[in-house]
Amino acid sequence: MNAPSDMQPEQIAEYLTRHPNFFNDFPTLLADLHIPHPHGTHAVSMSERQLIAMRDKVRMLENKLAELIQFGEENDGISEKLHALTLALVTASQPQDIAAALAIHLRDGFAVPHHALRIWTLTGEPVPGPEQPASQAARDTVAAMPHPACGPLAIPEASNWFGEIAPHLRAFACIPLRPAPAAAPLGVLVLASEEAKRFYPGMGTLYLDRLSQLVGAALVRMQG
C-alpha cells in the first residue's frame, strides 16, 4: 500500500468516493480542514467551501435559465413576424403581391434593410424587379445549396443586384426558394445588411428554411 506521501490526488478522490461514510467516522475533519477560497486568498472550512460551490452552481443555473428565456422570447418574436408574412403570402393573388409582401415584412418586421429577389421558373406573369436576371452560373450555385448560405455573398454576381448600396453591404443570407426541402429551387432571395454580424457562417437557418418554403409554395400556387 502506498504511503500517504506517495498517494496521488486521484487516489484520494477515488478513496473518498468509495467510502462515503468517511466524514461520518471522522466528523471533526469537516470543521478542522481549511482549504483555499475559490474566489479569494483566505482559507475556509470544507463545509463553507461546499456552500460556496452550491451557490456557484445555483448562479450558473440561473444564468442558463435567463439565457433560455431570452432565446425563447426571441423565437416567439420571430414566429409572430413569420406568421404575419405567411398571412400576406396566403392572401397574395399575383406575383406582384408576393414581391410587395416580402418588401414590407422584411423591412418593417424583420428589420432587413436590403433584399433582392430573382425568380426563374415561374410561368405566366413575371415577378417585377430590376432588369438583371440571374445567370445560369448563379442558378447552378443556388441549386447546389441544401440550405440558406449565410456570411459572405455566396453568389458573386448578386452584388450587382443591390445597386449603389452594394459596396457598403457586409453580410448576406442567400435563400434558395423551394416549395419543399427536396424540390428544385424556383429562384433565390438574398438578404443583405451593412452590419457584418447580421448574417454569419454557422448561424441557425431554421427560420430561413421556413421562409424559403413559404415563398416557394406561394410561387407554385401562382402557377396553378
Side-chain angles (χ1 to χ4, degrees):
M1 183 175 179
N2 292 338
S5 59
D6 297 331
M7 294 185 67
Q8 299 298 316
E10 293 79 5
Q11 293 175 299
I12 298 173
E14 181 183 359
Y15 177 86
L16 293 175
T17 301
R18 289 189 289 104
H19 297 81
N21 292 322
F22 178 81
F23 287 106
N24 290 334
D25 297 334
F26 302 91
T28 58
L29 280 177
L30 288 175
D32 295 340
L33 284 176
H34 287 77
I35 55 180
H37 192 289
H39 309 304
T41 57
H42 61 287
V44 296
S45 67
M46 183 172 290
S47 57
E48 186 176 353
R49 177 62 181 87
Q50 290 175 316
L51 181 59
I52 293 172
M54 291 180 63
R55 288 173 177 169
D56 289 343
K57 186 173 183 179
V58 169
R59 189 177 299 109
M60 180 186 66
L61 292 175
E62 288 176 342
N63 293 337
K64 187 63 176 179
L65 178 59
E67 182 180 357
L68 291 175
I69 292 175
Q70 179 183 353
F71 287 156
E73 292 175 346
E74 291 175 354
N75 287 337
D76 285 345
I78 295 174
S79 295
E80 287 294 328
K81 296 170 185 177
L82 197 60
H83 177 65
L85 175 58
T86 300
L87 294 178
L89 293 176
V90 168
T91 58
S93 59
Q94 51 188 350
Q96 292 90 330
D97 297 335
I98 294 178
L102 283 172
I104 293 173
H105 287 272
L106 289 175
R107 182 187 66 244
D108 298 339
F110 293 94
V112 175
H114 312 285
H115 77 279
L117 177 65
R118 293 295 183 275
I119 308 298
W120 50 76
T121 60
L122 185 64
T123 58
E125 191 173 0
V127 176
E131 295 298 326
Q132 292 181 337
S135 68
Q136 188 59 51
R139 300 182 186 189
D140 292 342
T141 299
V142 173
M145 294 180 183
H147 298 285
C150 300
L153 188 56
I155 309 172
E157 73 181 60
S159 178
N160 299 325
W161 301 348
F162 291 95
E164 295 179 354
I165 194 63
H168 304 286
L169 301 177
R170 296 290 180 268
F172 304 86
C174 297
I175 308 172
L177 299 178
R178 292 185 170 93
L186 305 176
V188 65
L189 174 63
V190 183
L191 312 182
S193 174
E194 291 93 342
E195 300 177 17
K197 295 183 179 180
R198 182 63 189 275
F199 306 108
Y200 54 89
M203 70 178 291
T205 60
L206 172 64
Y207 289 107
L208 296 180
D209 279 315
R210 291 180 178 176
L211 176 60
S212 164
Q213 295 176 34
L214 285 172
V215 179
L219 291 172
V220 168
R221 181 167 59 85
M222 295 297 168
Q223 300 181 94

